[in-house]
Amino acid sequence: MTAKITFFQVGNGDMTLVRLADVRGTAILIDTHIRASADDPLDDTPDVAKALRNKLKFDNKHRPFVDVFMLSHPDQDHCGGLSKHFWLGHPDDYPDDDLHHSKKRIIIRELWSSPLIFRRRSKNHVLCKDAQAFDAEARRRVRYWQANHFAFDGNRILIMGEDADGKTDNLQAILVKAGETFSRINGEYSSFFSGMLLAPAPHEDDENLEDALSKNESSIVMNMRLSPQAGSLNPVHLLMGGDAEVLIWERLWERYKDQPEVLQYDLLLTPHHCSWHSLSYHSWSQYGENARVNEHARNALGQARAGATIISSSKQILDDENDPPCIRAKREYDEIVDDVDGWFGCTGDLKDKEFIEFEVTQSGKVARVVAGVASAAASTAAAAAPRAGLGVQ
């Protein structure tokens, strides 16, 4: 199989599907933003739920599934539609109904979640219902592991980043610390994937900083390496940062400026939907063209490899005062890709298309292959499943 990365057209929100090149076509979904209007057949909002299901395989109980769902942080535009379209609960409790496969809720074999993205939420920020549901499911899976010290498909979880005060010390077997690289997916080692967790990390040595960090600044930041074949020396580097803002990128550069390869990428999803707040402490609406870019954050986000692609998952980027997306941020990203003969794209430019897709070439580059709409003919699921060995245990 060919490794592919699909960015869905979800307005100012994130929803990215990574398909590995292994024989199973392992699927990693990063965030989801399925708007209510997208479920309305009379509305012209892209039907990304249908587009997603058409790209998924089905287990031996005829249920669509992703191998991994990673929530970067608990904002509505990163988890919207989760409760409606995904099964949250023990897989044995999945309802035995007669719904057509296009409506069946999606099984999540393994969750990737950070406790910090929930603990650091603002006191004035009430979690949306989908975020509350995700939090409850993550806690259920942690309790399941604590009770059994193992888990099968549909109950698995990896904790992304330590919590403060030793709260995750007893979870070492399912914990990935900031700065660590891992290759385990759904309980098995993958020779087609590795991920370096860059953030979040607790800052117990600086109480003022810890108290100041918001939900955006607690986003999971990860640099993934996707190999076109097992053991390839030419993996594609995919850098994902949720809504991480300037403070985080500034600190990442301070930490890795002597190891810039840690931040190098072939494909970057612009943090916070091409927001200026990821590049500057100055408000775009207040300072306009006088707003100064933070050089450390710019350096962290500027480690593009030759021919790199940068994608903004956002509405169309216009020359106006909006932020996000912000025209000034786009100009910075344009300069970055121009320097490496790369390309900048925006999902909001897709109009009636539901996704834009890239594949990993054998030379370790990303190639744009399609901007498409959901259709049964394009479905990988129809050709691939159900089959033995993919059942949830």
Side-chain angles (χ1 to χ4, degrees):
M1 296 188 66
T2 302
K4 294 182 179 180
I5 305 102
T6 306
F7 300 96
F8 293 90
Q9 208 236 105
V10 294
N12 280 1
D14 282 354
M15 182 170 167
T16 306
L17 180 67
V18 176
R19 176 76 73 182
L20 301 186
D22 56 17
V23 66
R24 290 189 176 184
T26 297
I28 302 170
L29 183 65
I30 304 149
D31 293 334
T32 184
H33 188 214
I34 303 173
R35 294 164 285 182
S37 55
D39 293 328
D40 183 353
L42 301 180
D43 193 283
D44 61 1
T45 301
D47 188 355
V48 294
K50 179 180 179 182
L52 173 63
R53 283 186 174 88
N54 280 346
K55 290 183 171 295
L56 298 183
K57 296 182 179 180
F58 290 73
D59 65 22
N60 57 10
K61 295 184 178 179
H62 307 281
R63 302 174 297 191
F65 69 90
V66 292
D67 293 278
V68 170
F69 176 73
M70 182 177 88
L71 179 66
S72 67
H73 69 292
D75 272 355
Q76 180 69 36
D77 57 351
H78 291 256
C79 63
L82 183 72
S83 299
K84 180 175 181 180
H85 292 277
F86 294 80
W87 174 247
L88 303 176
H90 196 291
D92 289 348
D93 298 328
Y94 191 99
D96 184 15
D97 54 35
D98 295 322
L99 286 177
H100 187 267
H101 71 80
S102 65
K103 299 295 183 181
K104 281 182 175 288
R105 278 178 284 181
I106 299 165
I107 289 280
I108 299 170
R109 291 184 160 185
E110 181 171 79
L111 281 184
W112 291 356
S113 174
S114 169
L116 291 176
I117 63 176
F118 291 97
R119 186 172 59 76
R120 284 180 180 161
R121 65 183 184 271
S122 167
K123 294 178 181 178
N124 297 320
H125 176 76
V126 178
L127 289 179
C128 66
K129 290 184 178 179
D130 283 312
Q132 292 176 30
F134 180 93
D135 188 26
E137 175 65 3
R139 292 174 184 274
R140 181 194 72 81
R141 293 185 183 217
V142 169
R143 289 195 301 269
Y144 186 96
W145 184 87
Q146 288 174 323
N148 299 282
H149 291 285
F150 69 89
F152 293 117
D153 291 353
N155 290 319
R156 289 194 174 102
I157 186 168
L158 279 185
I159 304 299
M160 296 292 153
E162 295 175 279
D163 203 347
D165 301 323
K167 294 177 182 177
T168 49
D169 287 353
N170 64 341
L171 301 176
Q172 296 297 320
I174 56 172
L175 176 68
V176 178
K177 298 179 181 179
E180 289 185 347
T181 298
F182 70 104
S183 295
R184 187 176 66 182
I185 296 179
N186 200 26
E188 296 181 358
Y189 169 80
S190 173
S191 58
F192 294 84
F193 165 90
S194 70
M196 184 174 185
L197 182 66
L198 301 173
H203 297 281
E204 297 171 281
D205 57 333
D206 189 337
E207 291 185 7
N208 291 330
L209 173 62
E210 184 65 31
D211 290 341
L213 290 172
S214 71
K215 54 186 171 50
N216 284 352
E217 286 143 345
S218 301
S219 291
I220 292 175
V221 180
M222 186 180 296
N223 202 341
M224 300 181 178
R225 295 188 179 188
L226 313 175
S227 296
Q229 59 189 22
S232 172
L233 299 178
N234 297 306
V236 156
H237 299 228
L238 169 62
L239 182 58
M240 309 285 290
D243 281 0
E245 297 187 347
V246 58
L247 172 65
I248 299 306
W249 298 107
E250 180 183 45
R251 291 179 71 89
L252 284 174
W253 183 250
E254 290 170 352
R255 180 175 181 180
Y256 292 113
K257 61 185 177 183
D258 294 329
Q259 300 172 272
E261 65 277 4
V262 168
L263 295 164
Q264 285 183 341
Y265 58 84
D266 300 286
L267 185 56
L268 167 70
L269 180 63
T270 61
H272 204 178
H273 326 299
C274 201
S275 170
W276 182 241
H277 290 289
S278 295
L279 288 160
S280 175
Y281 286 106
H282 284 176
S283 166
W284 170 245
S285 61
Q286 181 178 354
Y287 288 90
E289 294 297 340
N290 293 322
R292 293 198 304 270
V293 68
N294 180 280
E295 291 300 324
H296 285 187
R298 173 60 158 73
N299 286 337
L301 288 164
Q303 299 305 305
R305 306 211 302 173
T309 295
I310 296 179
I311 293 293
S312 175
S313 183
S314 66
K315 299 176 181 178
Q316 284 186 298
I317 306 171
L318 305 176
D319 191 355
D320 56 23
E321 295 182 354
N322 286 335
D323 182 19
C326 178
I327 188 65
R328 176 73 186 280
K330 179 184 182 298
R331 293 205 299 266
E332 293 294 333
Y333 292 123
D334 279 336
E335 287 184 9
I336 290 169
V337 293
D338 285 348
D339 287 344
V340 296
D341 195 23
W343 181 75
F344 178 94
C346 174
T347 58
D349 294 335
L350 298 176
K351 295 182 180 179
D352 59 340
K353 306 298 184 181
E354 285 149 355
F355 58 86
I356 183 170
E357 192 165 81
F358 300 82
E359 68 177 26
V360 176
T361 69
Q362 292 298 314
S363 61
K365 301 295 182 182
V366 288
R368 198 169 5 144
V369 291
V370 66
V373 298
S375 67
S379 173
T380 58
R387 72 182 189 202
L390 290 179
V392 175
Q393 298 178 332

